[in-house]
Amino acid sequence: MTPIQECIKNNNHKIKPIWIMRQAGRYLPEFREIRSKNPDFVKLCLNENLSSEITLQPIKRFDFDAAIIFSDILMLPYGLGQEVKFEKGLGPKLGELDLDLIANVNKDEFSKKLNPIYKSISNISSNSICKNKDIIGFVGAPWTILVYMINKMSPKKSLSKEIFNDKLFVKELLSVIEKFLKIHIENQIKAGATLIQIFDSWAGLLEDNISKFIYEPTLNLVNHVKKFDVPVICFPRGVKDYKIFCEIVKPDMVNIDYNIDPKKIINEIQIPVQGGLDPKILLTDKENLNTEAIKYLQIFKDHPYVFNLGHGILPETKIEMVQELVKTVRDFK
Ligand code: CP3
């Protein structure tokens, strides 16, 4: 059994697998090299040879226990025909949203558009470097995808609350998003993903209607993944109460963000836990990194735990700090 599956399915707390969110990314010189020759990010995600190569880059360097496929949560709106662009320093920019067009996209058309992603997963799962490693497929949670599709850019820049006023529109859009997220999940599993992670990066933005926008649609996705006997990890970043989230949504494992007190979580949550370390710790020094990483390892010593961060690794992170982190986790007894 692959390491994360072993943690989840056998409740094994003796192994501490490690991988890192955004491990295939800009902190790696070999990624930056490919990226500099490929200015169009979406095209890069749809180049199955390059996306396979990028997925394997962090595995070759650090021998992580899991490979996460190089793609993006915004490939879903792209697959539905909404334009998606990534501009330097601006983050993602999405085009006009036409609900009538999107609601009429058919399953085959969508799957065909995203087919290089599935081919890349299948390449990776048959590569000997990934023997006994988890292959992580992923999607954005319905709420986070809804926010990007309506807001057309990162809500970090600005989010107009009025866009949620048209309740019928939002309801219909959410249902189309959910339908295609299920298809995208199923396609990734059929291509060889051994695990699915659901990223709800903007869960923390919502104050009301958490059931309608977060619990219910995420539970629907979690139940969908479970049908394939593949474990599912949820990352509801910033959500106020992880305990309630886990009780309602019932993922197989939960990734905590760096604002969560791990000591509190261990008393509240029975399911396997992943992550937590603040990515900014990797920008400090080795001594501090060791102290902070060991804190998580100690707290989760007797709990099924996968080492990871509390959000994506920062582009300015030095390679040697990642090496140090992997060594600390592997040496921990
Ligand atoms: O984890 C991995 O290594 C796999 C690939 C992956 C990417 N994005 C590649 C990427 C994954 C799992 C994601 C998830 C993702 N994408 C999320 C959820 C996780 C999170 O960070 O909260 C979100 C919200 C997105 C949307 C997105 N994609 C944003 C906001 C940005 C721009 C911000 C930034 O970091 O530059 C991206 C671009 C992106 N996705 C890059 C990578 C490697 C950087 C692209 C570049 O080279 O410019």
Side-chain angles (χ1 to χ4, degrees):
M1 207 180 281
T2 50
I4 303 179
Q5 292 222 1
E6 172 68 27
C7 264
I8 293 173
K9 291 193 173 170
N10 292 337
N11 237 357
N12 187 340
H13 65 266
K14 295 204 172 108
I15 52 166
K16 296 288 184 243
I18 174 170
W19 68 280
I20 284 183
M21 287 193 278
R22 292 276 180 98
Q23 64 189 24
R26 284 174 301 189
Y27 72 107
L28 287 176
E30 56 272 38
F31 170 77
R32 290 199 300 268
E33 159 124 39
I34 293 183
R35 184 75 173 93
S36 68
K37 293 180 199 139
N38 293 274
D40 186 329
F41 183 76
V42 170
K43 267 199 190 146
L44 182 57
C45 291
L46 293 174
N47 179 327
E48 68 208 59
N49 293 325
L50 287 179
S51 76
S52 307
E53 191 181 330
I54 295 170
T55 302
L56 296 177
Q57 285 174 344
I59 309 298
K60 288 180 183 158
R61 243 190 212 272
F62 309 111
D63 190 30
F64 286 129
D65 294 296
I68 181 157
I69 191 73
F70 177 75
S71 175
D72 198 90
I73 61 165
L74 299 179
M75 294 310 285
L76 187 109
Y78 172 82
L80 290 175
Q82 190 176 12
E83 195 189 10
V84 178
K85 282 201 281 193
F86 290 84
E87 287 169 17
K88 240 195 174 141
L90 278 176
K93 261 196 108 150
L94 283 77
E96 277 311 303
L97 173 61
D98 183 334
L99 185 56
D100 287 337
L101 279 182
I102 283 176
N104 282 316
V105 172
N106 77 38
K107 185 180 168 177
D108 293 341
E109 203 183 319
F110 170 85
S111 300
K112 203 171 153 205
K113 240 179 142 177
L114 299 189
N115 199 40
I117 302 175
Y118 313 131
K119 282 199 176 152
S120 179
I121 296 182
S122 136
N123 283 344
I124 284 154
S125 52
S126 59
N127 191 310
S128 61
I129 303 171
C130 290
K131 202 168 162 260
N132 203 35
K133 297 200 187 292
D134 288 283
I135 311 291
I136 305 178
F138 68 87
V139 290
W143 163 251
T144 286
I145 297 296
L146 182 83
V147 166
Y148 277 109
M149 286 180 79
I150 296 184
N151 201 46
K152 303 191 185 75
M153 62 171 135
S154 170
K156 199 162 53 184
K157 311 266 175 203
S158 81
L159 175 70
S160 142
K161 292 256 162 79
E162 286 140 47
I163 56 181
F164 298 104
N165 285 354
D166 187 345
K167 297 214 164 46
L168 190 62
F169 176 85
V170 170
K171 191 170 169 231
E172 282 179 24
L173 180 59
L174 196 60
S175 122
V176 176
I177 291 173
E178 197 184 301
K179 171 180 161 194
F180 283 94
L181 284 173
K182 285 181 179 164
I183 295 168
H184 193 35
I185 286 173
E186 183 170 344
N187 290 341
Q188 293 184 72
I189 293 174
K190 288 192 172 142
T194 63
L195 263 176
I196 294 292
Q197 176 145 333
I198 302 175
F199 289 92
D200 210 348
S201 307
W202 298 109
L205 282 182
L206 207 57
E207 279 153 23
D208 316 309
N209 290 317
I210 298 189
S211 275
K212 189 164 105 189
F213 288 117
I214 295 188
Y215 299 154
E216 285 165 27
T218 313
L219 174 63
N220 291 343
L221 289 193
V222 164
N223 285 339
H224 185 69
V225 182
K226 286 179 179 171
K227 281 190 213 147
F228 300 96
D229 195 28
V230 162
V232 52
I233 309 169
C234 281
F235 179 35
R237 185 169 77 97
V239 87
K240 305 281 169 306
D241 195 327
Y242 271 74
K243 181 172 181 273
I244 294 179
F245 177 89
C246 291
E247 281 167 5
I248 299 176
V249 178
K250 298 187 190 65
D252 294 297
M253 179 155 85
V254 69
N255 195 113
I256 52 174
D257 67 74
Y258 56 82
N259 287 320
I260 293 297
D261 177 0
K263 282 198 189 119
K264 185 166 173 264
I265 280 293
I266 192 124
N267 292 322
E268 286 184 345
I269 287 180
Q270 273 77 48
I271 62 167
V273 174
Q274 171 173 274
L277 183 79
D278 190 337
K280 287 193 282 301
I281 303 288
L282 282 151
L283 305 181
T284 63
D285 55 74
K286 288 185 182 170
E287 205 188 325
N288 188 40
L289 173 62
N290 283 329
T291 310
E292 293 299 316
I294 285 171
K295 196 172 91 186
Y296 281 91
L297 290 163
Q298 279 292 359
I299 293 171
F300 292 104
K301 204 168 183 293
D302 300 318
H303 192 97
Y305 180 70
V306 172
F307 203 96
N308 204 322
L309 306 179
H311 199 198
I313 186 165
L314 296 161
E316 56 271 43
T317 308
K318 291 197 182 96
I319 300 289
E320 57 181 86
M321 293 296 275
V322 182
Q323 275 160 345
E324 182 71 16
L325 177 63
V326 173
K327 190 173 176 308
T328 304
V329 174
R330 297 244 157 96
D331 288 350
F332 183 79
K333 291 278 173 318

